[in-house]
Amino acid sequence: MPLKTRSMKFISKLILAMGLILPMFASAQDTTDVAQNTEPVFTKRQKVDGIIATVGDYLILDSDIDKAYLEIKSQGADVSGITRCQLLGKLMEDKLYAHQATQDSIVVADSQVREKMNKQLDYMVEQLGSMDKVVEYFHKDNEEDFRSEMSEILKTNMLVEQERDKIIDEVQITPEEVRTFFNKIPTSELPTFGAEMEVSQIVVEPKVNEAEKQKVINKLKDIKKEVQDGASFFGKAVLYTDDKASSSTGGYYKINRKTQFVKEFKEVAFSLGEGEISEPFETEFGYHIIMVEKIRGQEVELRHILMVPKVSDADMKEAKDKAILIKKRIDDGEVSFTDAARTMSDDKETRANGGILINPKTQDTRFELTKMDPALYRDLVNLKDKEVSVPILETEPSGKKKYKLLTVTNRYDEHTADYAKDYTKIKALALKEKQLLAIGKWFDTKIKDTYIKINGEYRDCEFTNNWLKK
């Protein structure tokens, strides 16, 4: 059951305020449900588009509010209670973040924007069927205009995220502050936390046979030779790479030593000179070759090709048989699930802690049933306590397959918040309140120091922030 606050309005507002970030393009799961309805909510509003507000170096058009409505509606949310004034206030907040990010010399690299845009475009095309349909869905005349506008929006959003993160990352909270936050909540308004469970897993990945590995290595060596003989690395990457995120850009990335790439990839990248092509090398994702195009100080511009060895039916059967054997040993009491996970699981992230899954949304070990990933819930719903599932085949977005054994280690019924039992959740709420106060102070200061102008009827809006500097 979702988090309830009964009449606890300040926590509800707190959660909403920290989470209301409006991306201007739908994500993969969003587009499936909205392809049949593409009109803005306020279709009766017929007026010439114009500048309705200015925040620093940024302009906000009347049509930007219509786009925001479309985005909210596309995600299945109820827009009936949202006013244009509220959306303008949110858009102005984003523009102030972006403006101040520029003042603070925060830089978003074009390569970062390109990478994020390509991933989103891949999802959109997958959901809507073609790039032409994506362009049509967003009411653009052509793909070039669509990419250009999307690039600007993504860059602004990334500036917003970095500036906002800069503010809240500096906010820390002490145990005493958490206790004070909890104690000030009236007993009748204590939040209710929904039913939860803790889950552990054992992962068995199929082992690719050596012949298939060698086949991929030989292919990459052939590609390297062809490029050295004059072929285009760009073209080869478009044709052969298994890295969907970079396939449309010919395997292009710009990285530095802090970029979140696996260690092996960065070691090879920074060992090469300009124009040099690596030998095939292995990472957890498969086999790569890298060609360095430019070295600019601490940054390297490169192209790479990833090829993932194919897993045979025999390899898959061997992995499933291993998972069945592990389950039998646990069921027979020969080994505990925890010890089996530590010694037999192929998942590095959960192996060390006995297979316990971490909730990616909360960084806690508990999963609220109504907010759990539907696929995970489906696999767990019929399991009894301590029962081990049959081997479950899972296919990752990359196409990689593996078998999982799951078990429910703990269950928690729906209950009113308890300081000791729910400390992690209460701490998160207390921290959000403190972050929200810090953001409020930041807005008060920056609004005073920034050129802001609101035009026409929007000057009559009642804003949360003092945009009119009254």
Side-chain angles (χ1 to χ4, degrees):
M1 192 171 180
L3 171 67
K4 296 187 294 185
T5 58
R6 300 184 183 133
S7 59
M8 192 178 175
K9 295 181 180 179
F10 72 95
I11 285 187
S12 299
K13 292 179 179 178
L14 173 64
I15 295 172
L16 176 63
M18 295 300 293
L20 186 58
I21 303 301
L22 296 176
M24 289 303 184
F25 290 91
S27 61
Q29 63 264 36
D30 301 329
T31 55
T32 305
D33 299 328
V34 302
Q36 297 177 356
N37 192 344
T38 61
E39 291 302 317
V41 174
F42 273 29
T43 53
K44 294 181 180 179
R45 187 182 182 90
Q46 301 291 338
K47 62 183 294 182
V48 177
D49 194 20
I51 298 171
I52 59 174
T54 305
V55 180
D57 299 328
Y58 289 88
L59 304 177
I60 300 175
L61 304 179
D62 205 41
S63 61
D64 291 332
I65 295 182
D66 293 321
K67 292 175 185 176
Y69 266 118
L70 173 60
E71 174 60 21
I72 296 172
K73 189 176 182 181
S74 75
Q75 296 184 32
D78 182 11
V79 297
S80 59
I82 301 176
T83 67
R84 297 184 77 84
C85 287
Q86 289 173 328
L87 279 185
L88 175 58
K90 183 63 186 69
L91 291 172
M92 292 179 72
E93 288 180 8
D94 287 348
K95 300 306 183 188
L96 184 58
Y97 278 130
H99 172 76
Q100 191 58 43
T102 303
Q103 303 302 308
D104 293 343
S105 300
I106 293 176
V107 177
V108 173
D110 290 342
S111 58
Q112 292 176 287
V113 177
R114 248 193 328 266
E115 179 182 352
K116 191 166 187 176
M117 181 169 66
N118 287 334
K119 287 181 180 179
Q120 292 200 12
L121 286 177
D122 285 342
Y123 287 138
M124 292 176 189
V125 170
E126 182 179 347
Q127 294 298 319
L128 295 178
S130 70
M131 179 57 73
D132 288 341
K133 289 183 178 179
V134 172
V135 172
E136 179 184 357
Y137 173 76
F138 286 103
H139 304 298
K140 296 302 166 189
D141 293 331
N142 53 63
E143 182 179 341
E144 183 179 354
D145 289 348
F146 174 68
R147 283 180 175 272
S148 177
E149 181 173 341
M150 185 178 184
S151 176
E152 286 301 313
I153 290 171
L154 288 176
K155 187 171 185 177
T156 300
N157 286 347
M158 292 168 80
L159 287 171
V160 169
E161 290 171 8
Q162 290 192 42
E163 183 65 27
R164 188 182 64 253
D165 290 347
K166 180 170 171 282
I167 300 166
I168 64 176
D169 284 349
E170 297 173 357
V171 179
Q172 303 294 323
I173 195 162
T174 66
E176 185 57 35
E177 287 175 312
V178 177
R179 182 178 293 278
T180 300
F181 170 83
F182 182 76
N183 288 338
K184 76 180 181 182
I185 304 173
T187 302
S188 62
E189 296 184 0
L190 286 171
T192 297
F193 295 114
E196 299 171 308
M197 62 173 61
E198 290 181 327
V199 183
S200 293
Q201 70 172 11
I202 294 171
V203 174
V204 179
E205 296 179 352
K207 307 303 180 189
V208 182
N209 63 70
E210 293 301 320
E212 185 62 33
K213 290 181 181 179
Q214 194 58 50
K215 180 179 176 182
V216 167
I217 292 171
N218 291 342
K219 180 62 178 177
L220 287 171
K221 286 183 175 180
D222 290 344
I223 291 173
K224 175 181 177 179
K225 185 176 186 306
E226 290 171 11
V227 173
Q228 289 174 330
D229 290 341
S232 165
F233 196 103
F234 179 102
K236 295 294 183 182
V238 170
L239 287 173
Y240 295 111
T241 190
D242 288 324
D243 177 17
K244 293 183 179 180
S246 68
S247 60
S248 62
T249 58
Y252 177 86
Y253 285 109
K254 181 190 290 185
I255 68 171
N256 57 46
R257 294 189 183 276
K258 294 183 179 180
T259 303
Q260 296 299 305
F261 278 36
V262 292
K263 178 183 176 183
E264 300 90 342
F265 189 95
K266 288 196 289 187
E267 285 179 348
V268 173
F270 286 100
S271 71
L272 299 173
E274 288 190 0
E276 193 174 355
I277 305 175
S278 73
E279 289 296 319
F281 65 96
E282 185 179 12
T283 71
E284 62 189 79
F285 300 102
Y287 288 86
H288 312 249
I289 55 171
I290 291 175
M291 182 182 75
V292 169
E293 288 194 336
K294 293 180 182 178
I295 299 175
R296 299 179 183 273
Q298 298 300 310
E299 287 190 330
V300 172
E301 294 185 37
L302 59 83
R303 297 187 187 277
H304 90 121
I305 295 173
L306 167 68
M307 297 188 76
V308 181
K310 300 297 183 290
V311 177
S312 69
D313 291 342
D315 297 330
M316 291 299 298
K317 183 179 184 306
E318 183 178 342
K320 185 176 183 179
D321 289 344
K322 179 181 177 181
I324 291 172
L325 179 59
I326 294 173
K327 172 178 165 57
K328 184 177 186 307
R329 292 181 64 186
I330 297 171
D331 291 342
D332 291 346
E334 182 180 338
V335 64
S336 69
F337 193 101
T338 298
D339 288 342
R342 288 196 177 109
T343 58
M344 304 176 201
S345 179
D346 291 323
D347 185 68
K348 295 179 182 178
E349 293 184 4
T350 59
R351 185 169 57 204
N353 60 5
I356 298 174
L357 286 176
I358 302 298
N359 188 330
K361 296 180 180 178
T362 64
Q363 298 306 306
D364 191 7
T365 58
R366 298 184 185 183
F367 290 81
E368 191 168 334
L369 300 191
T370 58
K371 298 178 182 178
M372 184 180 290
D373 177 82
L376 180 60
Y377 178 80
R378 182 190 64 236
D379 294 336
L380 294 168
V381 64
N382 293 320
L383 283 183
K384 299 175 182 177
D385 290 347
K386 309 301 181 182
E387 180 183 2
V388 181
S389 72
V390 298
I392 299 166
L393 178 62
E394 179 177 279
T395 303
E396 298 178 355
S398 64
K400 186 177 181 180
K401 296 182 178 181
K402 58 189 177 185
Y403 283 99
K404 296 191 306 182
L405 299 174
L406 297 174
T407 190
V408 178
T409 54
N410 282 300
R411 297 181 191 270
Y412 303 89
D413 294 331
E414 180 181 308
H415 62 281
T416 300
D418 178 277
Y419 183 76
K421 294 179 181 177
D422 302 304
Y423 179 81
T424 301
K425 291 185 178 65
I426 294 165
K427 179 182 177 182
L429 289 173
L431 179 59
K432 283 181 179 178
E433 183 186 59
K434 190 172 182 181
Q435 290 171 338
L436 192 58
L437 290 172
I439 287 173
K441 291 179 181 178
W442 183 90
F443 273 112
D444 289 342
T445 300
K446 299 305 178 185
I447 286 174
K448 292 176 183 177
D449 299 336
T450 306
Y451 175 76
I452 295 169
K453 183 179 180 182
I454 302 174
N455 300 323
E457 65 191 82
Y458 290 99
R459 292 186 60 81
D460 297 328
C461 290
E462 293 186 8
F463 296 109
T464 302
N465 294 306
N466 186 26
W467 296 113
L468 296 170
K469 301 185 181 182
K470 294 180 179 178

